[in-house]
Amino acid sequence: MTKGIVCFLVVVISQNSWSQSQERTLINGKITANTNDLEGVYVVNSQTETMTTTDASGAFSILAKPDDVLVFSSIQFKENRVSLTCDNFTDLNFTVKMNLVMHQLQEVIVKRYDNINAVSLGIVPAGQKTYTEAERKLHTASDLNATASATGMVGGSISADPLFNFFSGRTAMLKKEVEVEKKEFFMRLLEKMFTLEHFVERLKIPAEYVKGFEYYAVENKQFTNILNSKNKTSTEFLLGELAVKYKEMIASEVK
């Protein structure tokens, strides 16, 4: 009896030590849901930020170890988080149940909105000219000391240009230019990171709405912070969440 208890404790301690010290190995699994559309679901190891996607049958493989948390997410499914155990690595039938999003769009009627652009979305004022070196212009227009130094009037009379710029609204206009310049930068970064096919085929956004979705995404402060970090996994993850909300906006406009 005592010998059996000792053996049991050795096995338990060995298992705990194994789970804490082992290297990550490939775990195979499969998602199940009340739909046959199981392909393209993101599977992210939240500890390592490695990512894979499911195939047409819902199967996936990813490097992990016990106590890692796998995050399952897709446009058509609710997010599901699974904390791995030792048994999951030996289970030949390791499956994860996914639940469909209740407001999933069964059909999207594509309607052209040629007027969706930077002006209509309020990002760029109507008739606004795009400038380069916007931040330099704003600094020059609003900095009294810079203007005084440029005119050689330090210690004496200074130019009234900055005050005139302020009251005439030119300073406000230049501030808007800086914001536009930032958004244009994020737009270029987004388009460099993801192809048109990614938006259409993976995120299921109609081609006519892709440009509008890009404007919508770069308006999100949290998204631009992640986008600017160049972390493609996190960027792609949040982009999928924004796509769901944007498609809901499209659906409400079509009705």
Side-chain angles (χ1 to χ4, degrees):
M1 183 69 178
T2 302
K3 184 177 180 180
I5 294 174
V6 171
C7 290
F8 173 78
L9 291 175
V10 169
V11 170
V12 171
I13 293 173
S14 299
Q15 286 183 339
N16 289 337
S17 300
W18 176 76
S19 64
Q20 292 174 5
S21 62
Q22 70 164 322
E23 295 295 328
R24 287 182 170 84
T25 58
L26 206 61
I27 183 171
N28 300 307
K30 188 175 183 179
I31 65 168
T32 60
N34 295 326
T35 178
N36 293 324
D37 185 14
L38 302 176
E39 186 174 8
V41 174
Y42 295 114
V43 184
V44 181
N45 186 324
S46 62
Q47 272 65 39
T48 63
E49 292 192 348
T50 55
M51 181 185 72
T52 187
T53 55
T54 56
D55 62 18
S57 68
F60 65 89
S61 298
I62 191 170
L63 287 173
K65 69 178 183 179
D67 295 328
D68 280 358
V69 175
L70 298 185
V71 182
F72 298 80
S73 179
S74 181
I75 293 174
Q76 70 267 35
F77 295 116
K78 294 180 180 179
E79 181 182 293
N80 191 4
R81 292 174 175 265
V82 176
S83 181
L84 297 175
T85 66
C86 296
D87 293 337
N88 297 143
F89 289 80
T90 57
D91 186 0
L92 299 179
N93 296 311
F94 174 46
T95 58
V96 176
K97 175 68 175 178
M98 300 295 292
N99 295 313
L100 288 166
V101 177
M102 297 306 294
H103 52 69
Q104 180 184 11
L105 299 177
Q106 298 299 326
E107 180 181 4
V108 175
I109 301 175
V110 177
K111 182 178 179 181
R112 292 188 61 86
Y113 280 89
D114 295 328
N115 61 328
I116 295 182
N117 50 47
V119 174
S120 64
L121 291 174
I123 298 174
V124 181
Q128 175 71 60
K129 179 181 178 181
T130 301
Y131 293 88
T132 58
E133 301 180 355
E135 291 181 340
R136 178 186 62 78
K137 290 184 178 182
L138 176 61
H139 178 75
T140 302
S142 58
D143 192 337
L144 290 172
N145 293 328
T147 304
S149 298
T151 56
M153 295 184 179
V154 177
S157 299
I158 63 173
S159 170
D161 285 348
L163 293 177
F164 176 78
N165 289 335
F166 176 78
F167 288 113
S168 67
R170 184 165 183 266
T171 299
M173 179 188 69
L174 291 176
K175 286 182 179 180
K176 289 183 180 180
E177 288 180 17
V178 172
E179 291 303 314
V180 171
E181 192 174 72
K182 289 179 181 178
K183 288 182 174 63
E184 288 177 344
F185 166 77
F186 288 128
M187 288 282 287
R188 290 193 297 269
L189 187 59
L190 181 60
E191 291 174 350
K192 183 179 180 181
M193 190 175 293
F194 301 102
T195 64
L196 176 63
E197 288 73 19
H198 179 87
F199 292 102
V200 176
E201 297 175 6
R202 181 61 63 83
L203 299 181
K204 308 300 182 184
I205 296 176
E208 293 84 355
Y209 290 93
V210 170
K211 184 60 67 175
F213 173 64
E214 290 176 354
Y215 284 123
Y216 172 77
V218 300
E219 280 290 302
N220 187 290
K221 183 68 174 177
Q222 181 186 4
F223 177 74
T224 54
N225 287 339
I226 294 176
L227 178 64
N228 199 37
S229 71
K230 308 292 194 307
N231 187 319
K232 188 172 182 178
T233 299
S234 299
T235 301
E236 187 173 2
F237 197 72
L238 182 55
L239 197 64
E241 295 181 356
L242 292 176
V244 174
K245 297 178 182 179
Y246 188 74
K247 288 171 67 177
E248 290 176 351
M249 291 172 54
I250 295 176
S252 65
E253 289 182 358
V254 171
K255 292 180 180 179

